[in-house]
Amino acid sequence: MKTYHIITYGCQMNENDSEKLAGILTSMGYAPIESPEDANILIMNTCSVRENADDKFFGHLGYYKKNRTASDEKILAVCGCMMQQTEIVSTIRKKYPFVDIIFGTHNIHLFGQMLSKHLQTGEMICDIWDDIDHFEENIPVKREYIHKAYITIMNGCNNFCSYCIVPFTRGREKSRESSSIITEIKELAQNGCKEVMLLGQNVNSYGKTLNQPKTFASLLEDVSDIDEIERIRFMTSHPKDLTDDIISIMKERENICNHVHLPLQSGSNRILSEMNRHYSRESYLALADKLRNAIPDLAISTDIIVGFPTETEDDFLATLDMINKCRFDAAFTFIYSPRNGTKAAQMDQLFGKDVIQNRFNRLLELQYQIMLENAQRYKGRALEVIAEGISKTDPQMMSGRTKTNKLVNFSGSCQIGDTVTIIVTDALTFHLTGKMIN
Ligand code: 5AD
Ligand code: SF4
């Protein structure tokens, strides 16, 4: 049997795209294989959000350039956000001409046809589309788990945050028809799925582009009505669009998880304005308060960028102050990375790498301390956990997640996908430890 391996860089949207590519390959009779070296088809699904993701990809291609022999029949396909940038595609064509198939973010559904054409002709296929004006449906999906699934509910982004490449690589925002979303989730539920993660760059603005507009809150309500679904998660929420109707439905429905991912990016109003984020530190704090008052035991996670052009020490201190005030349960922290074609890439950087690295280290130190303190509230409590597999740090234990998305390592015997109750015995920065009681 012919085999494939997919390397996925970047966000959950890319992971879901890779599951679609795996679905297409499975329907063509290919089987997944652990080792990229042994696969008949290797796909690299790239990310261009930050420079280090670019570097990793070119590092991988460099490895194949060195190790590829004339008789090597492996098919190498590259796709994802990086391919939406013309200069990247021309670099690949010039320096890595052994790549067999190049495609972008808008024509994933046609991968099967591109592969067949390559197999017939032996020619390099390069097909990049600028954008599409609809959400592509009916792509088979091969999912990693039975009990939980990523569901992409919209593609693209209209926000143009000044540092971000995504509106250029993923195109304009387009929502998926809610009837398709609900049909897909009902089918999954009948086959044992109990947790869904609704994905979009800005899920709070879901539905605006539909012929019959629909709000994200009403989509959440529809998903929440599906009996078998025990947990609904969603990301990413833009603070400027998280409206009261969303908070009300989160409060009302047991199966909508008490966790929200709410990127702050910076705590300085001047930087937020330069970033084109359309909220202030005051309005963010008011929103976080409103959410916490409405939803019991809510966890808030965030994204923070350090070293945005013109960020001063005072701006950075304003970010630290927000970290202290918001007490995030988790934070994805990034050093600013200039991206060609974005507005911020033309702005001057006031400080060098060392200053920015020092700020980044101080940010992490504070955030880790807060996470450790926050985690103490779980100690001794009984929590509902869905088991996800053997613990990565201790093979004697299972691991799973709480509704607040906290990782728990626990003793006790159960199957992947089981909903169990655990008593928390210890609370650390990145995970809780516990004992299963039923
Ligand atoms: N540099 C650093 N971080 C970035 N992000 C997006 N673009 C950049 C960039 N150019 C971060 C933001 C976003 C997350 C997905 O990646 O914090 O929320
Ligand atoms: Fe990028 Fe901003 Fe859109 Fe998020 S909301 S994808 S950060 S442009």
Side-chain angles (χ1 to χ4, degrees), residues 63-80:
Y63 169 85
Y64 283 101
K65 190 169 183 173
K66 242 172 113 195
N67 294 288
R68 208 170 160 92
T69 58
S71 60
D72 200 339
E73 287 189 351
K74 183 197 294 301
I75 292 174
L76 202 57
V78 296
C79 63

PDB file of all heavy atoms in Angstrom, residues 63-80:
ATOM      1  N   TYR A  63      17.326  19.833   3.868  1.00  0.00           N
ATOM      2  CA  TYR A  63      17.680  18.445   4.188  1.00  0.00           C
ATOM      3  C   TYR A  63      17.385  17.554   2.977  1.00  0.00           C
ATOM      4  O   TYR A  63      18.190  16.713   2.594  1.00  0.00           O
ATOM      5  CB  TYR A  63      16.870  17.995   5.413  1.00  0.00           C
ATOM      6  CG  TYR A  63      16.942  16.519   5.679  1.00  0.00           C
ATOM      7  CD1 TYR A  63      17.993  15.985   6.419  1.00  0.00           C
ATOM      8  CD2 TYR A  63      15.963  15.651   5.183  1.00  0.00           C
ATOM      9  CE1 TYR A  63      18.065  14.619   6.646  1.00  0.00           C
ATOM     10  CE2 TYR A  63      16.031  14.288   5.407  1.00  0.00           C
ATOM     11  CZ  TYR A  63      17.082  13.777   6.135  1.00  0.00           C
ATOM     12  OH  TYR A  63      17.154  12.425   6.355  1.00  0.00           O
ATOM     13  N   TYR A  64      16.231  17.773   2.363  1.00  0.00           N
ATOM     14  CA  TYR A  64      15.893  16.927   1.206  1.00  0.00           C
ATOM     15  C   TYR A  64      16.784  17.236   0.013  1.00  0.00           C
ATOM     16  O   TYR A  64      17.121  16.361  -0.768  1.00  0.00           O
ATOM     17  CB  TYR A  64      14.407  17.043   0.859  1.00  0.00           C
ATOM     18  CG  TYR A  64      13.599  16.235   1.835  1.00  0.00           C
ATOM     19  CD1 TYR A  64      12.933  16.842   2.885  1.00  0.00           C
ATOM     20  CD2 TYR A  64      13.603  14.847   1.762  1.00  0.00           C
ATOM     21  CE1 TYR A  64      12.252  16.089   3.832  1.00  0.00           C
ATOM     22  CE2 TYR A  64      12.933  14.080   2.701  1.00  0.00           C
ATOM     23  CZ  TYR A  64      12.262  14.709   3.733  1.00  0.00           C
ATOM     24  OH  TYR A  64      11.612  13.958   4.670  1.00  0.00           O
ATOM     25  N   LYS A  65      17.208  18.482  -0.113  1.00  0.00           N
ATOM     26  CA  LYS A  65      18.087  18.856  -1.216  1.00  0.00           C
ATOM     27  C   LYS A  65      19.405  18.070  -1.100  1.00  0.00           C
ATOM     28  O   LYS A  65      19.938  17.559  -2.075  1.00  0.00           O
ATOM     29  CB  LYS A  65      18.372  20.364  -1.162  1.00  0.00           C
ATOM     30  CG  LYS A  65      19.069  20.890  -2.393  1.00  0.00           C
ATOM     31  CD  LYS A  65      19.074  22.400  -2.374  1.00  0.00           C
ATOM     32  CE  LYS A  65      19.717  22.920  -3.639  1.00  0.00           C
ATOM     33  NZ  LYS A  65      19.601  24.356  -3.742  1.00  0.00           N
ATOM     34  N   LYS A  66      19.898  17.968   0.135  1.00  0.00           N
ATOM     35  CA  LYS A  66      21.175  17.280   0.378  1.00  0.00           C
ATOM     36  C   LYS A  66      21.047  15.778   0.191  1.00  0.00           C
ATOM     37  O   LYS A  66      21.929  15.129  -0.345  1.00  0.00           O
ATOM     38  CB  LYS A  66      21.598  17.552   1.829  1.00  0.00           C
ATOM     39  CG  LYS A  66      22.924  18.294   1.898  1.00  0.00           C
ATOM     40  CD  LYS A  66      23.255  18.715   3.230  1.00  0.00           C
ATOM     41  CE  LYS A  66      24.257  18.344   4.131  1.00  0.00           C
ATOM     42  NZ  LYS A  66      23.918  18.818   5.473  1.00  0.00           N
ATOM     43  N   ASN A  67      19.911  15.243   0.669  1.00  0.00           N
ATOM     44  CA  ASN A  67      19.801  13.786   0.756  1.00  0.00           C
ATOM     45  C   ASN A  67      19.050  13.118  -0.389  1.00  0.00           C
ATOM     46  O   ASN A  67      18.978  11.909  -0.452  1.00  0.00           O
ATOM     47  CB  ASN A  67      19.120  13.404   2.074  1.00  0.00           C
ATOM     48  CG  ASN A  67      19.998  13.768   3.242  1.00  0.00           C
ATOM     49  OD1 ASN A  67      21.019  13.135   3.480  1.00  0.00           O
ATOM     50  ND2 ASN A  67      19.634  14.827   3.945  1.00  0.00           N
ATOM     51  N   ARG A  68      18.510  13.923  -1.272  1.00  0.00           N
ATOM     52  CA  ARG A  68      17.704  13.336  -2.333  1.00  0.00           C
ATOM     53  C   ARG A  68      18.594  12.743  -3.406  1.00  0.00           C
ATOM     54  O   ARG A  68      19.569  13.362  -3.822  1.00  0.00           O
ATOM     55  CB  ARG A  68      16.811  14.427  -2.942  1.00  0.00           C
ATOM     56  CG  ARG A  68      15.547  13.913  -3.528  1.00  0.00           C
ATOM     57  CD  ARG A  68      14.653  15.089  -3.865  1.00  0.00           C
ATOM     58  NE  ARG A  68      13.655  14.677  -4.829  1.00  0.00           N
ATOM     59  CZ  ARG A  68      12.455  14.230  -4.477  1.00  0.00           C
ATOM     60  NH1 ARG A  68      12.120  14.164  -3.230  1.00  0.00           N
ATOM     61  NH2 ARG A  68      11.590  13.871  -5.406  1.00  0.00           N
ATOM     62  N   THR A  69      18.238  11.538  -3.855  1.00  0.00           N
ATOM     63  CA  THR A  69      19.026  10.927  -4.936  1.00  0.00           C
ATOM     64  C   THR A  69      18.183  10.932  -6.203  1.00  0.00           C
ATOM     65  O   THR A  69      16.967  11.105  -6.153  1.00  0.00           O
ATOM     66  CB  THR A  69      19.360   9.469  -4.585  1.00  0.00           C
ATOM     67  OG1 THR A  69      18.118   8.791  -4.372  1.00  0.00           O
ATOM     68  CG2 THR A  69      20.221   9.373  -3.339  1.00  0.00           C
ATOM     69  N   ALA A  70      18.862  10.711  -7.332  1.00  0.00           N
ATOM     70  CA  ALA A  70      18.160  10.762  -8.620  1.00  0.00           C
ATOM     71  C   ALA A  70      17.064   9.706  -8.691  1.00  0.00           C
ATOM     72  O   ALA A  70      16.022   9.904  -9.332  1.00  0.00           O
ATOM     73  CB  ALA A  70      19.165  10.576  -9.750  1.00  0.00           C
ATOM     74  N   SER A  71      17.297   8.581  -8.000  1.00  0.00           N
ATOM     75  CA  SER A  71      16.311   7.491  -8.105  1.00  0.00           C
ATOM     76  C   SER A  71      15.182   7.616  -7.066  1.00  0.00           C
ATOM     77  O   SER A  71      14.284   6.786  -7.008  1.00  0.00           O
ATOM     78  CB  SER A  71      17.027   6.151  -7.919  1.00  0.00           C
ATOM     79  OG  SER A  71      17.618   6.159  -6.629  1.00  0.00           O
ATOM     80  N   ASP A  72      15.268   8.669  -6.246  1.00  0.00           N
ATOM     81  CA  ASP A  72      14.268   8.856  -5.186  1.00  0.00           C
ATOM     82  C   ASP A  72      12.902   9.122  -5.805  1.00  0.00           C
ATOM     83  O   ASP A  72      12.728  10.082  -6.556  1.00  0.00           O
ATOM     84  CB  ASP A  72      14.694  10.055  -4.327  1.00  0.00           C
ATOM     85  CG  ASP A  72      14.033  10.032  -2.972  1.00  0.00           C
ATOM     86  OD1 ASP A  72      12.992   9.367  -2.838  1.00  0.00           O
ATOM     87  OD2 ASP A  72      14.569  10.670  -2.052  1.00  0.00           O
ATOM     88  N   GLU A  73      11.943   8.265  -5.472  1.00  0.00           N
ATOM     89  CA  GLU A  73      10.630   8.440  -6.110  1.00  0.00           C
ATOM     90  C   GLU A  73       9.608   9.089  -5.190  1.00  0.00           C
ATOM     91  O   GLU A  73       8.445   9.212  -5.540  1.00  0.00           O
ATOM     92  CB  GLU A  73      10.125   7.094  -6.611  1.00  0.00           C
ATOM     93  CG  GLU A  73      10.915   6.672  -7.822  1.00  0.00           C
ATOM     94  CD  GLU A  73      10.360   5.462  -8.514  1.00  0.00           C
ATOM     95  OE1 GLU A  73       9.438   4.835  -7.954  1.00  0.00           O
ATOM     96  OE2 GLU A  73      10.866   5.164  -9.595  1.00  0.00           O
ATOM     97  N   LYS A  74      10.092   9.521  -4.021  1.00  0.00           N
ATOM     98  CA  LYS A  74       9.162  10.149  -3.091  1.00  0.00           C
ATOM     99  C   LYS A  74       8.548  11.406  -3.722  1.00  0.00           C
ATOM    100  O   LYS A  74       9.242  12.192  -4.367  1.00  0.00           O
ATOM    101  CB  LYS A  74       9.909  10.554  -1.822  1.00  0.00           C
ATOM    102  CG  LYS A  74       8.998  11.165  -0.765  1.00  0.00           C
ATOM    103  CD  LYS A  74       9.769  11.922   0.295  1.00  0.00           C
ATOM    104  CE  LYS A  74      10.656  11.063   1.144  1.00  0.00           C
ATOM    105  NZ  LYS A  74       9.935  10.013   1.874  1.00  0.00           N
ATOM    106  N   ILE A  75       7.238  11.552  -3.533  1.00  0.00           N
ATOM    107  CA  ILE A  75       6.584  12.770  -4.035  1.00  0.00           C
ATOM    108  C   ILE A  75       6.563  13.796  -2.911  1.00  0.00           C
ATOM    109  O   ILE A  75       6.120  13.507  -1.802  1.00  0.00           O
ATOM    110  CB  ILE A  75       5.156  12.459  -4.513  1.00  0.00           C
ATOM    111  CG1 ILE A  75       5.251  11.573  -5.763  1.00  0.00           C
ATOM    112  CG2 ILE A  75       4.378  13.734  -4.810  1.00  0.00           C
ATOM    113  CD1 ILE A  75       3.918  11.079  -6.241  1.00  0.00           C
ATOM    114  N   LEU A  76       7.092  14.971  -3.203  1.00  0.00           N
ATOM    115  CA  LEU A  76       7.172  16.026  -2.193  1.00  0.00           C
ATOM    116  C   LEU A  76       6.183  17.131  -2.573  1.00  0.00           C
ATOM    117  O   LEU A  76       6.274  17.706  -3.666  1.00  0.00           O
ATOM    118  CB  LEU A  76       8.604  16.562  -2.209  1.00  0.00           C
ATOM    119  CG  LEU A  76       9.089  17.275  -0.970  1.00  0.00           C
ATOM    120  CD1 LEU A  76       8.963  16.385   0.253  1.00  0.00           C
ATOM    121  CD2 LEU A  76      10.553  17.683  -1.161  1.00  0.00           C
ATOM    122  N   ALA A  77       5.230  17.387  -1.683  1.00  0.00           N
ATOM    123  CA  ALA A  77       4.244  18.445  -1.950  1.00  0.00           C
ATOM    124  C   ALA A  77       4.347  19.492  -0.850  1.00  0.00           C
ATOM    125  O   ALA A  77       4.537  19.157   0.316  1.00  0.00           O
ATOM    126  CB  ALA A  77       2.838  17.848  -1.971  1.00  0.00           C
ATOM    127  N   VAL A  78       4.251  20.770  -1.199  1.00  0.00           N
ATOM    128  CA  VAL A  78       4.290  21.837  -0.200  1.00  0.00           C
ATOM    129  C   VAL A  78       3.054  22.723  -0.363  1.00  0.00           C
ATOM    130  O   VAL A  78       2.610  22.978  -1.485  1.00  0.00           O
ATOM    131  CB  VAL A  78       5.594  22.671  -0.290  1.00  0.00           C
ATOM    132  CG1 VAL A  78       6.800  21.812   0.035  1.00  0.00           C
ATOM    133  CG2 VAL A  78       5.757  23.333  -1.638  1.00  0.00           C
ATOM    134  N   CYS A  79       2.491  23.137   0.768  1.00  0.00           N
ATOM    135  CA  CYS A  79       1.253  23.921   0.699  1.00  0.00           C
ATOM    136  C   CYS A  79       1.173  24.840   1.919  1.00  0.00           C
ATOM    137  O   CYS A  79       2.129  24.969   2.674  1.00  0.00           O
ATOM    138  CB  CYS A  79       0.049  22.983   0.652  1.00  0.00           C
ATOM    139  SG  CYS A  79      -0.125  21.982   2.140  1.00  0.00           S
ATOM    140  N   GLY A  80       0.035  25.481   2.095  1.00  0.00           N
ATOM    141  CA  GLY A  80      -0.180  26.306   3.286  1.00  0.00           C
ATOM    142  C   GLY A  80       0.159  27.767   3.050  1.00  0.00           C
ATOM    143  O   GLY A  80       0.420  28.213   1.926  1.00  0.00           O
TER     144      GLY A  80
END
